[in-house]
Amino acid sequence: MSAPASQIDPRPADALLADIGGTNARFALARQDEISPLLMDSVREFAVADFPSLADAAQHYLDTTGASARTGVFAVAGRVDGDEARITNHPWVISGARTRDALGLESVRLVNDFAAQAMGASLLTPRDVVPIGGTAWRGHDREDRTFAIIGAGTGLGVGGLLRRDGRHYPLQTEGGHVSFAPNSPEEIEILQRMSGEFGRVSNERLVSGMGLVNLYRTLSAMAGDDPGPIHPADVTGRAKDGDARALRTIDIFCAVFGAAAGDLVLTLGAWDGVFLTGGLVPKLLNSIAHSGFRQRFEYKGRFAAVMGRVPTLAVVHPQSGLLGAAALAQDPRHTQS
């Protein structure tokens, strides 16, 4: 996945980058004097469960690669409240100041991971995306634009990207926790059964890695079966083998994903397009493209015609979160102690 440590440029980097999810922590370096600020050969990935804190994981990265940096930009899968961030699907609680001091950096900026995904979208080119419906996207121009960002991985991340007067502004949200709105008798029953287990049911309960498990288990219960212990990879693996219930699980996943993406366009006024990110998007790209995703995306009543023109773009850049962290590090107006 990444180059050996010996191939990392030994010069001190401008920034240490991190993209922290509920399962994996990705680290890299950024240098402003490069054509692209993200140094792809510096990327390393670790399991978050292997470290007691972000600082420990980051120090391990620095120690094993021999890298050094002046500042840090860390994107985390959770809400950032001032100097503190909590990972939604992992017990890490992160303090920017303590992490800065532990690593000996001049400054550290904590951002929501989908603020980083949004900034990463500002650097994407047409070769970094696969279009799934809507009008053609030819890349970024100089006009004011409003985009939405939504991505399924360990959780469901949601953000936005505004371009105004030549500058990009990422929007940090927790829109993945918006309530799930069923649209068929089958989905109504799914909501009822999940409500009995979780109480309130958000879109993330269906559109995420664990969402695949929740959906599969719920469909099994509706059929009077108990599938026993199951993991997201089991669902996708069974779907590849032609298992009817796993295939139906992925169909519903894609449909709800499309509905949530369409709702986000209406909420943000993101008529210029939606970037689909997250670890599950490349893995399920063929399913998303040939499912009810786009139909449910456009199925917005009196806005169906305008929704039909909004492009949905599956991001296939391998490190779009780190790319966004690098974009934030490149702009001195985004630095923070």
Side-chain angles (χ1 to χ4, degrees), residues 88-89 154-156 176-180 190-191 194-195 197-216 218 249 253 256:
T88 303
N89 292 298
T154 303
L156 179 64
H177 299 281
V178 168
S179 297
F180 164 55
I190 288 170
L191 174 61
M194 285 193 180
S195 294
E197 181 176 359
F198 300 114
R200 178 179 177 274
V201 179
S202 67
N203 283 326
E204 185 177 79
R205 294 292 190 185
L206 291 81
V207 187
S208 63
M210 283 309 299
L212 288 172
V213 172
N214 294 336
L215 279 169
Y216 190 90
T218 301
T249 295
F253 172 100
V256 177

Side-chain angles (χ1 to χ4, degrees), residues 146-149 161 264-274 297 310-311:
T146 302
F147 295 99
I149 321 293
L161 178 68
L264 182 58
V265 169
L266 297 177
T267 301
L268 295 182
W271 311 116
D272 297 304
V274 183
F297 176 85
V310 177

Side-chain angles (χ1 to χ4, degrees), residues 162-181:
L162 308 181
R163 180 184 171 90
R164 299 292 186 270
D165 299 322
R167 184 181 176 190
H168 288 97
Y169 298 86
L171 301 180
Q172 305 187 47
T173 87
E174 288 297 336
H177 299 281
V178 168
S179 297
F180 164 55

Side-chain angles (χ1 to χ4, degrees), residues 29-282:
L29 303 173
R31 189 171 288 118
Q32 294 178 1
D33 61 1
E34 301 289 333
I35 295 175
S36 176
L38 173 61
L39 305 183
M40 287 297 295
D41 66 354
S42 71
V43 176
R44 300 290 185 275
E45 181 176 298
F46 308 109
V48 294
D50 291 343
F51 300 93
S53 70
L54 169 58
D56 288 292
Q59 190 63 59
H60 178 74
Y61 170 82
L62 294 173
D63 291 343
T64 56
T65 61
S68 61
R70 293 188 301 103
T71 64
V73 179
F74 300 150
V76 299
R79 183 172 181 269
V80 177
D81 185 6
D83 181 60
E84 185 175 279
R86 294 175 180 269
I87 307 297
T88 303
N89 292 298
H90 187 74
W92 279 1
V93 178
I94 301 165
S95 162
R98 288 197 295 271
T99 303
R100 176 199 64 205
D101 293 344
L103 298 174
L105 299 174
E106 295 175 11
S107 66
V108 160
R109 176 174 173 81
L110 299 179
V111 298
N112 175 266
D113 61 332
F114 268 73
Q117 289 285 351
M119 285 300 290
S122 74
L123 298 179
L124 295 176
T125 67
R127 68 176 177 271
D128 296 318
V129 302
V130 175
I132 303 175
T135 57
W137 183 69
R138 295 180 175 84
H140 295 286
D141 54 29
R142 296 180 180 276
E143 302 297 321
D144 287 354
R145 300 293 183 194
T146 302
F147 295 99
I149 321 293
I150 184 168
T154 303
L156 179 64
V158 170
L161 178 68
L162 308 181
R163 180 184 171 90
R164 299 292 186 270
D165 299 322
R167 184 181 176 190
H168 288 97
Y169 298 86
L171 301 180
Q172 305 187 47
T173 87
E174 288 297 336
H177 299 281
V178 168
S179 297
F180 164 55
N183 196 61
S184 69
E186 181 183 42
E187 290 182 7
I188 290 171
E189 184 173 356
I190 288 170
L191 174 61
Q192 290 172 335
R193 288 179 177 269
M194 285 193 180
S195 294
E197 181 176 359
F198 300 114
R200 178 179 177 274
V201 179
S202 67
N203 283 326
E204 185 177 79
R205 294 292 190 185
L206 291 81
V207 187
S208 63
M210 283 309 299
L212 288 172
V213 172
N214 294 336
L215 279 169
Y216 190 90
R217 291 187 61 82
T218 301
L219 291 176
S220 297
M222 289 163 61
D225 297 333
D226 181 357
I230 189 169
H231 303 283
D234 298 324
V235 179
T236 55
R238 293 178 190 184
K240 288 180 181 178
D241 293 338
D243 178 82
R245 186 170 298 155
L247 288 168
R248 184 60 188 152
T249 295
I250 290 176
D251 283 344
I252 296 170
F253 172 100
C254 292
V256 177
F257 191 19
D263 288 343
L264 182 58
V265 169
L266 297 177
T267 301
L268 295 182
W271 311 116
D272 297 304
V274 183
F275 292 97
L276 311 175
T277 70
L280 287 175
V281 169

